[in-house]
Amino acid sequence: MLTVQNLTKSFGQTTVVSSINFTVGREEIFALVGPSGCGKTTTLRLIIGFEQPDQGRIELMGQCIAGEGKKMPPEKREIGFVFQNYALFPHLNVIENVAFGLKNLPKVKRKQQAKTLLEMVRLQDLWNRKPHELSGGEQQRVALARSIGPNPKLILLDEPFSSLDSELRESTRLEVYKLLKSLRMSAILVTHDQEEALSFADYIAVMQKGRIEQINTPEEIYRKPKTPFVASFLGRSNILKGVAKGSYVETHLGRLDLETETYGQVSVSIRPEHLVMQTPNGGSTGTIQKRDFKGHDLTYEIQFGEFDCFVHTNYDSRFQVGECVELKPIEYAVVVKRNEIT
Ligand code: ATP
């Protein structure tokens, strides 16, 4: 329903969005994830129409809305958006804030529709409060109710949960997710929080320096990252150099199996939870440097020569700092880079 083709935007000499391509399907939640300054918000602003592209085009439901001479004004695009700071009107109460987004309805119907929207986000009892009398999570839900009110074709969410504390963030996220899915909305979420992207989105695009490095489902992108950056940005990963010999690669940790036949100098990624620790048994050994107990699980940092490797284990692993261990892979390693022979 949304197609972005070769979208490019520069500010002065700096290209902040560099020829990106992606599509968002009907009823799909699509996440743009990447570090601060990689161009996520600029991409959203181009889609809303607050910025104009230098190159490329944007199509919404088959209609060109930007690019190639077309410049549809933001209010005509039928796109809703929710920002990090909610942007609620401080002098209006909750129901007036929501009704404000319903200008297309006759006045008498606005309040009734705003009430229905507040019921959707379970805030009907707080209709009379001013924004400063609400928690961050409640304000966020008002902002969402206001943006879905006009029944937009697409909703854009820019770091919508980042100012909430971690517990509220999780519950608000789940509620917003359920609401978007029950209304069968299409949405784009911008976040730098990889866990949020993995749990919230149907598809993820990982951005770095204005470019998209990879697009796929959360599971696929986590399981098969294509670059070292994607491997380490979405979850923790061990990136190792080695020599691929067909079905396996020789590394500091020993031999790791490869899913795809590969030959030559490569860098591979293996996730900390895809390695199991065992007492030395004739293979490469490392020394435990740190044992990080987190209640539900443990992370070990293990030194193999100059290489530090991370391993996640069950909460009850008994290995201690200073012990020598061997690591056994329980999943394939993934090639994330082919290295030149120097
Ligand atoms: P964050 O997660 O920190 O919000 P982001 O990925 O959303 O980052 P953008 O806000 O898109 O990044 O900014 C990308 C780059 O473009 C940044 O270096 C920013 O300083 C720059 N930039 C954004 N808007 C403008 C502007 N109007 N004029 C000049 N530079 C800008």
Side-chain angles (χ1 to χ4, degrees), residues 11 16 35-42 51 159:
F11 293 113
V16 296
S36 183
C38 72
K40 306 180 295 293
T41 298
T42 305
E51 303 284 354
E159 302 274 8

Side-chain angles (χ1 to χ4, degrees), residues 277-324:
M277 297 161 68
Q278 56 188 29
T279 47
N281 189 24
S284 305
T285 57
T287 310
I288 298 175
Q289 301 297 310
K290 192 158 187 300
R291 182 178 186 271
D292 193 5
F293 179 66
K294 290 175 285 181
H296 42 77
D297 59 14
L298 273 160
T299 300
Y300 285 93
E301 192 178 326
I302 305 163
Q303 195 172 18
F304 286 80
E306 287 175 5
F307 180 74
D308 279 341
C309 179
F310 291 95
V311 176
H312 292 323
T313 68
N314 277 342
Y315 63 92
D316 59 353
S317 174
R318 297 278 167 227
F319 288 105
Q320 297 297 331
V321 171
E323 278 187 72
C324 281

